Each structure stands twice: as structure tokens, then as C-alpha cells.
Amino acid sequence: MQNVKEYYDEFPYFSAAFADCSPLRLQSVAEFLGLDAPKANIARVLELGCAYGGNILPFAVHNSQADVVGIDISSTQVKVGNEIAKGMGLENFKLIEKDILSIDKDKLKKLGKFDYIIAHGLYSWVCDEVKEAILRLIHELLSQNGIAYISYNVYPGWKSFDILRDYMIFVSSTQKDQTSRLEKAKKELKFLSDYLRINLQAQNDPTLRDSTQLLLTQANFLQNIIKKGHDYYVLHDFLETSNDPMYFYKFAASLKKSGLCYLIDAGLDDIFRNSLGIYRFDAHISQNYPSRIEGEQMRDFMLNRSFRKSLVMKSEILGDRSDFDMDIGVNEFSKLNFILHSRDDKSGNAVYEALKNAYPQSLNLSELSNMLEQDLQSTYSQLIEIFATQNVSIAPKKFHHVKYKKGKTRIKPCVARYLEYFINEPSPVILLANELNLKVELTPSEAKAALKFDGQNSLEEIKTSLALKNADEFLNKLSNKLSEAYFLENFN
Ligand SMILES: C[S@@+](CC[C@H](N)C(=O)[O-])C[C@H]1O[C@@H](n2cnc3c(N)ncnc32)[C@H](O)[C@@H]1O
């Protein structure tokens, strides 16, 4: 395992936060399914292959009673991640340097059980031996009703990316180190794209034209990622020794062998995007591939899926229910709070409008139903419509729209300490995110000014202290960003 460790020590992975991994979302999904979900705010949460811990840190910042642990093989990432958390005074967050393969019985005992285990961006990027160890660990470490999240690259979508990966590995293979391999691969990708573009125009053979177009589409996708400066993604998905996508049905079989079973996609695709939308095709799948695993695999083929985020549980807890019918009704929706992130005017549905107007505040089913003076069932039906097409967060607790007012509201003290890292670090290695693991974009000067929202200063006083030309516009924008990130609280 030494080379994996050396690799990640030399090329640490920028540590983003991912909304679908947020323990609040994991609890919400479990509640949706009528499972006895552990309460996230007091849960024990573990991330395997956590890099700097940026995916679990926003949750730890906001939930002081939760116990948050990360394990990673890279000493550099673990050391820096722990220093970041220490700088914020976080006492419920700890990263442990450990190879997943070498966690023995004693260590397992010491770690204890976890209610939520996250393995994001890990499973496809390790050898088969580590893959098995990940599933074994999850089975050993999950608490009674615990839920694990595993993301991985899948076929058939990755078949065409594999061509680009093979190409980039081939053209960069003579380079001595990773930095020059990356540069060479990027240069040669552009070379390939340039040729494909010219060849597409000149190509008369329709079959060759289609295959050229397909490869060019994938190459353009990758070029766009490169343009955004995400070198770490190119390195880890396209140049790393191990990137081993698999078919979903094979993943489900591996789960079964490890005493685990597939629950649902973290994006709730199995419920809200579980049809191809054309009766003939959907009926064919449900008649010929009746189990959930087969049906899902068929849809992966039809939709050329390349990535999955699967929630899993211990098989013994779910037992016969693992092929359960996703019958999500008013009862299930009644347990949750909803936040609509879409801003378009298309919907024309009253629930959509109510959620849009309430944003960033969350609303639950009965609040929506009272507000719109309509029964729960119709409110529920309109919510379902929104879920199929819009970006909606679900949460087990209410999120309020708090506006800044001197003497009444302030920036949450835990957030102030979190922001200080981004103020003092010119090149942050983690992403700033809110409790729902949603990205928050604050410039260093905005983050600095946010600390003045301490409940002692009025907006007018903050404005004077900033001495900016466009102070009104700056403060307005910042106030909105802080409210939308749920970074403010009432304190009186
Ligand atoms: C592709 S990165 C993903 C990081 C992070 N989870 C994310 O998605 O942003 C994979 C991470 O897994 C860690 N890793 C790889 N093999 C490991 C092993 N055998 N034991 C522990 N960590 C490992 C690496 O050090 C690296 O930080």
C-alpha cells in the first residue's frame, strides 16, 4: 500500500463537501423509507478515505454533540485536516491515519460503532482487496440501524471514458513524475480533441462520424473540467493506477457477500427518476427484470449511467424487505422539511411557488398544506411533481431564514471559527459548505466582513468600518449569502 500512500501524500485530494453525503440527508432518506433512522445531530459519523476531511467537517462544525471521525492512509492529509479542525476548536472531529487494509480487531473495537459511514470517491479507486476490506469494515462498524453511503464509477457510462483514460495514461507514461504526467496528458488531450473536431467536419462515413462525435463529447467534458482548474479530478479519475468502474448488479452482489444490502440511491433516483418515461420501455423492464437490482441495472444501460451513490445497510436488519416496494406517501413526506433551490418560473404549481417564496426557509408538508389551504394529499402530489425535476433539499429539522439585526441575530460562533480558516489560508484545501454540505461561495473579504455580523454591530456600523465604495451592494449581497447558508442565528 506504500505507493498509494506516497501518491496521496504527494498529490493530496482537494476536499470538497457533497450534499448527498450529509448525515442530515442520510437520516432524511432513511426516514423517507420508514426506517428507524439514527438521529444525525447526536450520531457517530465515519468517513473512509476522507482526505482532509472537508466532506465531514461542515457537519461537525454545526453538530457539537455528534462524533465525527475520518480515516485516511495519507499522513499529509490527516495531519493538515486535524490541524484545521484544531484551529477551529472542534472537539468532536478527529482524522486517523490508517490503511483500511490494516485495521485489526483491537482497532475495530477501539473505533466503536457508527450510525453513518461515508465512502465517497474511494471504492472505484482502490484494488479489489481494499474494496472487500471497505465492505467488511462497513459491516463490522455499522450500528444496528446504521446506514452507509458508497459512491463509485459505473459501467456502461464509464466504458467511453475508459478510452480517454487509456489514451491519457499511454501518452503520459514516459514522464517521470505525476506533475509532468498531468501536464503531458492535458496537452495531448487537447491535441486529440483538435483532431476529432476537424475530422468530424470532414468525415463522410456516418458510423465513424457518430463514434468521433461520442469521443469528442467526452473529451470536451474533460477539457471543461480542466478549464475549471480541477487537476485533482483529472489525476485521480484519469491517471491514477486504479479506477475500476463496475456494473451496478456486480456491486450489489459484492454487498450481499459482505452481509450488506442495497437500500436506495442517495439522490433518491429509485423513487423520483425510476422510469424511462415511455410506457413501452418501462413495462418491458418491470415485466422482464422484476427485482430492484435488475431494474436499476437495466436503467443504467438505457441511460448510459457513469456514477452511483448507493446507500446500504446490514442485510440482517433489512431482511426480506430489501426488495421493498418504494411506496412513499403522505406519512413519509410528513416527517421531513423541504428547501427548494430552483429559481425558475416554469412550474406553475402552488407548492413550488410557496417553497420558492419561503427560500431559504424550509417548509414541511403540514405548513405547506395550511399555507395553501389545501389538503395534505393534494399538497403531497404537488411536492412529488417537484421532486422529479427540481433541486430540493430534504432535512430532518427546520431551517430558518434568519436576517441580520443588531442585538437580535449574529453569525453562529461555530461558523465564525470555521470562516477564520478561509480568511487566514490563502490556498484552502477544503471547501466552505453549510450544514447541508452545500457549497458556500464567500470571497476572503466577504468572510472577513462576515465576522463583523456579531450581533454587536449594526449594518450601518459595519458599512462604516468597511470603508468601501460599493458598501451597500457588498453588504446586501453578503447578508443574503449568510442567510442562505444558514450561518446566522437568533441569540436574544
Ligand atoms: C480519490 S480520493 C477521495 C477523497 C474524498 N473522499 C473525496 O471524495 O473528495 C481517495 C482517498 O482515499 C484514500 N485512500 C486510498 N486508499 C486507502 C486505503 N487503503 N486506506 C485508507 N485510505 C485510502 C486516499 O488517501 C484519498 O484521500
Side-chain angles (χ1 to χ4, degrees):
M1 272 292 107
Q2 189 57 25
N3 56 0
V4 174
K5 179 176 157 43
E6 278 170 8
Y7 180 88
Y8 281 102
D9 279 342
E10 192 185 346
F11 288 96
Y13 205 77
F14 176 77
S15 210
F18 302 93
D20 283 336
C21 309
S22 144
L24 292 186
R25 180 167 182 98
L26 302 184
Q27 179 188 338
S28 305
V29 173
E31 302 226 352
F32 235 168
L33 299 178
L35 301 168
D36 201 357
K39 294 219 173 321
N41 64 329
I42 50 168
R44 297 202 71 226
V45 176
L46 171 69
E47 178 163 23
L48 300 172
C50 60
Y52 295 108
N55 192 23
I56 40 179
L57 194 114
F59 174 75
V61 165
H62 287 90
N63 293 276
S64 57
Q65 284 179 280
D67 183 25
V68 180
V69 178
I71 291 179
D72 201 284
I73 197 170
S74 150
S75 35
T76 313
Q77 298 183 118
V78 164
K79 185 168 165 280
V80 173
N82 278 330
E83 281 166 6
I84 294 172
K86 197 169 164 212
M88 293 175 195
L90 277 186
E91 286 175 4
N92 61 338
F93 178 94
K94 179 174 63 183
L95 303 186
I96 300 168
E97 181 192 332
K98 197 85 197 147
D99 180 351
I100 287 164
L101 268 184
S102 65
I103 299 182
D104 57 22
K105 283 218 158 89
D106 271 0
K107 185 73 193 165
L108 273 181
K109 224 174 166 178
K110 268 197 207 136
L111 281 167
K113 300 284 179 194
F114 291 89
D115 302 301
Y116 295 105
I117 302 182
I118 299 158
H120 183 77
L122 177 69
Y123 194 76
S124 297
W125 294 264
V126 290
C127 62
D128 289 348
E129 205 186 353
V130 181
K131 281 194 190 75
E132 279 170 32
I134 292 170
L135 299 187
R136 221 177 22 249
L137 255 189
I138 290 178
H139 186 259
E140 291 277 350
L141 293 175
L142 265 185
S143 65
Q144 176 78 357
N145 289 305
I147 288 179
Y149 165 111
I150 308 173
S151 67
Y152 47 102
N153 286 335
V154 286
Y155 290 137
W158 248 90
K159 287 276 177 192
S160 41
F161 284 134
D162 268 347
I163 301 173
L164 285 183
R165 177 175 148 83
D166 293 347
Y167 171 75
M168 287 168 81
I169 289 175
F170 172 73
V171 294
S172 62
S173 60
T174 51
Q175 305 299 307
K176 283 195 204 71
D177 55 63
Q178 279 294 25
T179 313
S180 32
R181 267 196 285 277
L182 175 67
E183 285 320 307
K184 182 83 193 292
K186 287 197 314 196
K187 217 168 117 201
E188 296 297 317
L189 178 69
K190 184 170 177 314
F191 173 77
L192 175 68
S193 304
D194 287 350
Y195 173 71
L196 291 174
R197 213 169 291 117
I198 293 167
N199 185 35
L200 190 64
Q201 283 162 8
Q203 187 55 257
N204 292 323
D205 180 325
T207 313
L208 284 179
R209 215 184 137 77
D210 287 352
S211 62
T212 304
Q213 178 66 69
L214 178 64
L215 197 54
L216 182 61
T217 306
Q218 307 289 50
N220 286 343
F221 166 81
L222 200 51
Q223 299 256 48
N224 278 337
I225 289 179
I226 291 170
K227 265 191 216 142
K228 286 182 192 157
H230 298 326
D231 282 355
Y232 64 95
Y233 171 74
V234 179
L235 270 169
H236 291 283
D237 256 2
F238 289 85
L239 290 175
E240 204 185 328
T241 330
S242 212
N243 176 3
D244 181 24
M246 59 166 61
Y247 282 103
F248 171 68
Y249 75 99
K250 292 193 174 168
F251 173 74
S254 304
L255 289 180
K256 201 167 172 188
K257 249 175 54 195
S258 307
L260 297 166
C261 67
Y262 174 71
L263 196 57
I264 195 167
D265 185 85
L268 295 175
D269 292 19
D270 317 35
I271 304 176
F272 299 109
R273 280 169 284 276
N274 68 343
S275 77
L276 301 170
I278 303 171
Y279 177 76
R280 181 174 140 228
F281 297 102
D282 286 324
H284 177 85
I285 292 179
S286 62
Q287 274 157 26
N288 295 288
Y289 307 93
S291 82
R292 282 186 55 222
I293 303 298
E294 288 174 315
E296 284 294 309
Q297 181 57 67
M298 275 303 279
R299 281 184 285 277
D300 279 11
F301 276 116
M302 313 292 281
L303 300 167
N304 196 28
R305 194 162 179 167
S306 59
F307 187 62
R308 272 193 168 265
K309 301 165 282 183
S310 296
L311 301 192
V312 311
M313 264 192 116
K314 288 189 185 193
S315 322
E316 66 244 41
I317 308 297
L318 215 54
D320 294 344
R321 290 184 295 160
S322 60
D323 214 20
F324 54 91
D325 199 8
M326 300 277 172
D327 194 8
I328 314 282
V330 168
N331 275 349
E332 287 70 27
F333 267 80
S334 295
K335 296 175 192 159
L336 297 170
N337 298 277
F338 308 97
I339 303 161
L340 178 78
H341 298 284
S342 322
R343 307 253 56 87
D344 56 43
D345 302 318
K346 278 183 244 148
S347 171
N349 147 341
V351 169
Y352 178 91
E353 291 303 321
L355 283 169
K356 194 168 111 181
N357 294 336
Y359 180 82
Q361 182 169 309
S362 65
L363 292 174
N364 63 28
L365 192 64
S366 65
E367 284 167 338
L368 280 164
S369 156
N370 289 338
M371 206 180 249
L372 298 170
E373 298 178 1
Q374 56 183 36
D375 61 32
L376 285 174
Q377 188 61 41
S378 351
T379 311
Y380 154 80
S381 306
Q382 290 171 357
L383 247 179
I384 289 272
E385 266 176 46
I386 297 168
F387 259 88
T389 54
Q390 307 290 337
N391 180 4
V392 185
S393 287
I394 49 175
K397 66 174 197 180
K398 200 159 176 51
F399 278 83
H400 298 277
H401 184 190
V402 181
K403 287 188 179 166
Y404 183 69
K405 196 153 197 269
K406 178 180 177 178
K408 289 254 182 273
T409 67
R410 65 176 174 195
I411 188 133
K412 293 174 181 169
C414 60
V415 171
R417 290 191 295 271
Y418 182 34
L419 288 182
E420 270 168 20
Y421 167 72
F422 296 90
I423 295 167
N424 298 324
E425 177 53 62
S427 311
V429 294
I430 56 170
L431 184 88
L432 178 65
N434 69 9
E435 190 179 359
L436 293 161
N437 263 10
L438 294 164
K439 182 179 180 180
V440 179
E441 287 185 71
L442 290 186
T443 62
S445 52
E446 284 177 323
K448 231 178 191 169
L451 299 188
K452 297 179 190 272
F453 287 58
D454 58 0
Q456 314 292 320
N457 299 306
S458 68
L459 281 173
E460 209 45 49
E461 285 159 344
I462 300 176
K463 191 168 118 183
T464 315
S465 75
L466 288 175
L468 284 175
K469 248 200 201 152
N470 56 348
D472 281 327
E473 193 192 328
F474 178 88
L475 273 187
N476 229 338
K477 204 166 140 204
L478 178 57
S479 303
N480 284 339
K481 282 189 183 182
L482 297 178
S483 289
E484 288 180 9
Y486 312 104
F487 280 177
L488 301 175
E489 67 177 8
N490 291 303
F491 69 98
N492 256 336

